[in-house]
């Protein structure tokens, strides 16, 4: 059986990051986690480009434009939608997730989802570099792996 699987080496990769300003206290930690992950897997910080947008709802369009630009091997989306503070939680959470999937499929470029959707600020903090890891780092490692998988398909 022939098996194709991507390694976790980021050397030479160019990655775009789209991050929302909304809930910046949380999203800032996701950005740090993503950057740290990229560098620890052999990437160069200069090969990262960070674009800020107002909120998670604006992430898909930006991610799609970056993915279609031909400048990036992958795009990592970072944000935090917190139910407690968000009357239209479901709309923002669903539209951003759907839009990210569409951006990836339309562009043919890996676009990974590092948008936290939690019931409370406490749960968001847990997933932004404390006891439940860092979803920014998770989204970056998925992007690194997908770039290497797609190269071999
Ligand atoms: N955007 C977020 O990224 N997280 C949230 O929790 C949130 N809340 O609470 O509403 C949020 N709203 C803004 C939204 O993403 C858009 O920026 C806004 O609706 C303008 O289009």
């Amino acid at each position: 059986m022939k098996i194709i699987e991507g390694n976790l080496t980021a050397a030479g990769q160019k990655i775009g990051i789209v991050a929302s300003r909304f809930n910046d206290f949380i999203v800032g930690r996701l950005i740090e986690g993503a950057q740290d992950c990229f560098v620890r897997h052999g990437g160069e910080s200069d090969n990262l480009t960070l674009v800020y947008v107002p909120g998670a709802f604006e992430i898909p369009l930006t991610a799609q434009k970056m993915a279609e630009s031909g400048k990036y091997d992958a795009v990592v989306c970072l944000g935090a939608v917190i139910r407690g503070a968000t009357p239209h939680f479901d709309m923002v959470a669903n539209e951003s997730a759907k839009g990210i999937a569409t951006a990836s499929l339309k562009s043919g470029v890996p676009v990974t989802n590092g948008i936290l959707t939690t019931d409370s600020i406490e749960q968001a903090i847990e997933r932004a570099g404390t006891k439940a890891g860092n979803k920014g780092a998770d989204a970056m490692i998925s992007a690194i792996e997908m770039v290497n998988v797609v190269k071999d398909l």
Side-chain angles (χ1 to χ4, degrees), residues 13-127:
Q13 291 185 3
K14 292 189 168 53
I15 308 266
I17 298 174
V18 192
S20 60
R21 291 189 192 281
F22 209 104
N23 291 322
D24 171 65
F25 175 78
I26 301 292
V27 180
R29 305 293 81 73
L30 301 180
I31 295 168
E32 288 169 5
Q35 182 176 11
D36 178 64
C37 174
F38 185 69
V39 170
R40 283 194 295 116
H41 284 84
E44 286 174 39
S45 241
D46 284 351
N47 285 336
L48 292 176
T49 301
L50 170 62
V51 177
Y52 281 108
V53 297
F57 191 78
E58 283 71 38
I59 286 177
L61 172 65
T62 314
Q64 186 166 323
K65 282 190 169 289
M66 290 178 85
E68 287 174 343
S69 72
K71 294 180 186 165
Y72 310 102
D73 299 307
V75 179
V76 174
C77 302
L78 303 177
V81 190
I82 301 172
R83 188 186 293 274
T86 314
H88 55 309
F89 172 92
D90 290 313
M91 191 276 285
V92 176
N94 291 339
E95 289 307 314
S96 60
K98 233 187 317 162
I100 287 169
T102 302
S104 193
L105 291 172
K106 276 188 80 175
S107 65
V109 169
V111 182
T112 64
N113 185 351
I115 299 181
L116 290 171
T117 52
T118 64
D119 287 331
S120 66
I121 288 174
E122 288 73 20
Q123 285 179 357
I125 291 171
E126 283 174 7
R127 291 157 178 75

Side-chain angles (χ1 to χ4, degrees), residues 127-141:
R127 291 157 178 75
T130 60
K131 69 179 186 183
N134 186 309
K135 196 169 167 80
D138 295 347
M140 179 58 79
I141 198 68

